[in-house]
């Protein structure tokens, strides 16, 4: 169960965020509205929400998930693989917000890089994708810190996705959304896999919060597949503006 969520309001600089998509630049006013709907959906799940203000000097800062990994025992400040985001994690309001909830605060050191968009939590075990943003040194540091607190982790080799959770997301109750290269990964065979069709691949990035599943709006096949499991309340949120800068539902919050 999650009790707390931290989000950061998008800045007007969002249009300058990192993007591999070819869908144009996000419209700031639309992004703000979508973010408000996102926060409203989070509220329905029963969590307490801390809202941090925009950081205009960091266009991608609303994707706060990549700033830290929040576990049941500690929080670990990341060291993003994207150089433009390195100083973002040092923002005083983030440090202050995390300090209200955690006594144990760790951090990834150079030359390690890791972005928690590459980390999927399954109970006390963490799958860590090796991507362009997360290197082996960062993953090894993360696993060592997790083990220090009685948790565990393992690495997942990736070839196609930006982040691990671009293509695989755990919904609790042994249910796993899988897309692309993760459909045939034997390490996930023990889960009940819900395979995401290629034409709705973006919707592989859904989030579980207290038996609610938040699903990106506009992907009816994925929504129906989750509803058909009969285990969750499903909420839809439009994230189309954030998709333009490679963002999804999980990117927009720290959940713990």
């Amino acid at each position: 169960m999650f009790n707390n969520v931290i989000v950061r309001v998008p800045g007007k600089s969002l249009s300058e965020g990192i993007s591999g998509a070819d869908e144009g630049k996000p419209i700031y006013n639309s992004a703000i509205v979508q973010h408000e709907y996102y926060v409203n959906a989070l509220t329905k799940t029963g969590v307490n929400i801390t809202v941090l203000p925009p950081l205009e000097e960091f266009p991608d800062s609303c994707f706060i998930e990549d700033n830290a990994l929040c576990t049941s025992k500690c929080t670990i400040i990341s060291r993003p693989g994207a150089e433009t985001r390195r100083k973002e994690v040092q923002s005083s309001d983030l440090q202050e917000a995390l300090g209200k909830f955690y006594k144990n605060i760790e951090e990834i050191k150079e030359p390690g890089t890791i972005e928690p968009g590459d980390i999927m939590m399954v109970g006390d075990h963490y799958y860590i994708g090796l991507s362009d943003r997360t290197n082996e040194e960062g993953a090894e540091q993360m696993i060592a810190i997790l083990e220090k607190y009685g948790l565990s982790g393992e690495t997942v080799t990736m070839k196609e996705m930006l982040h691990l959770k671009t293509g695989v997301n755990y919904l609790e109750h042994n249910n796993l959304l899988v897309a692309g290269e993760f459909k045939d990964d034997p390490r996930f065979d023990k889960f009940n896999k819900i395979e995401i069709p290629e034409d709705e691949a973006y919707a592989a990035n859904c989030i579980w919060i207290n038996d609610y599943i938040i699903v990106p709006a506009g992907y009816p096949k994925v929504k129906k597949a989750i509803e058909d499991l009969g285990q969750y309340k499903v909420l839809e949120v439009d994230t189309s503006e954030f998709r333009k800068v490679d963002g999804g539902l999980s990117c927009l919050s720290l959940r713990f």
Side-chain angles (χ1 to χ4, degrees):
M1 181 174 179
F2 292 140
N3 296 311
N4 300 290
V5 170
I6 301 174
V7 301
R8 187 181 293 283
V9 176
K12 293 179 180 178
S13 60
L14 178 67
S15 61
E16 304 308 315
I18 302 167
S19 179
D22 187 21
E23 300 185 21
K25 291 183 179 292
I27 300 166
Y28 170 70
N29 289 339
S30 298
I32 286 291
V33 171
Q34 290 183 4
H35 195 266
E36 288 173 353
Y37 278 111
Y38 179 76
V39 172
N40 288 340
L42 292 170
T43 302
K44 292 177 182 177
T45 70
V47 295
N48 296 310
I49 303 175
T50 300
V51 180
L52 301 182
L55 288 178
E56 291 293 352
E57 63 270 40
F58 299 108
D60 295 287
S61 57
C62 62
F63 302 126
I64 196 169
E65 179 182 54
D66 286 324
N67 290 175
L69 179 67
C70 294
T71 79
S72 58
K73 307 288 181 66
C74 64
T75 188
I76 304 146
I77 305 296
S78 70
R79 185 170 183 269
E83 288 190 27
T84 55
R85 303 193 66 185
R86 294 268 167 86
K87 293 183 179 180
E88 186 183 309
V89 303
Q90 299 167 10
S91 61
S92 58
D93 59 352
L94 174 67
Q95 303 279 345
E96 182 181 346
L98 291 172
K100 290 179 180 178
F101 299 104
Y102 288 99
K103 292 182 179 178
N104 300 317
I105 299 178
E106 306 278 353
E107 62 180 308
I108 302 299
K109 308 283 190 180
E110 187 180 357
T113 65
I114 196 160
E115 295 186 6
D118 282 319
I119 305 177
M120 180 176 72
M121 178 183 74
V122 178
D124 288 337
H125 188 68
Y126 294 79
Y127 293 91
I128 303 172
L130 299 176
S131 70
D132 289 343
R133 305 286 183 86
T134 295
N135 63 21
E136 289 194 26
E137 170 65 24
E140 288 173 5
Q141 287 186 39
M142 181 64 73
I143 291 170
I145 294 169
L146 290 169
E147 291 177 346
K148 173 181 172 181
Y149 291 94
L151 308 171
S152 60
E154 67 179 279
T155 58
V156 178
T157 301
M158 296 167 49
K159 297 177 181 178
E160 301 171 10
M161 304 287 183
L162 171 65
H163 280 139
L164 181 75
K165 285 187 294 200
T166 303
V168 59
N169 286 270
Y170 187 54
L171 303 184
E172 302 295 323
H173 308 301
N174 204 49
N175 294 317
L176 191 73
L177 297 178
V178 289
E181 63 187 299
F182 302 117
K183 289 182 179 180
D184 299 319
D185 190 323
R187 81 183 66 232
F188 299 130
D189 286 348
K190 63 187 175 183
F191 297 101
N192 175 38
K193 293 191 286 189
I194 298 94
E195 295 195 1
I196 305 298
E198 187 174 346
D199 63 338
E200 293 195 3
Y202 177 77
N205 185 246
C206 297
I207 51 176
W208 174 96
I209 304 181
N210 305 339
D211 281 341
Y212 285 82
I213 305 295
I214 302 180
V215 180
Y219 303 91
K221 296 174 189 174
V222 174
K223 182 186 178 189
K224 184 177 186 302
I226 294 171
E227 289 175 336
D228 286 349
L229 293 170
Q231 295 173 284
Y232 312 103
K233 299 173 184 176
V234 177
L235 302 172
E236 276 190 298
V237 174
D238 187 356
T239 54
S240 56
E241 295 303 321
F242 300 101
R243 181 177 180 173
K244 295 175 182 177
V245 277
D246 299 339
L249 283 164
S250 71
C251 312
L252 290 165
S253 59
L254 291 169
R255 304 167 298 280
F256 54 97

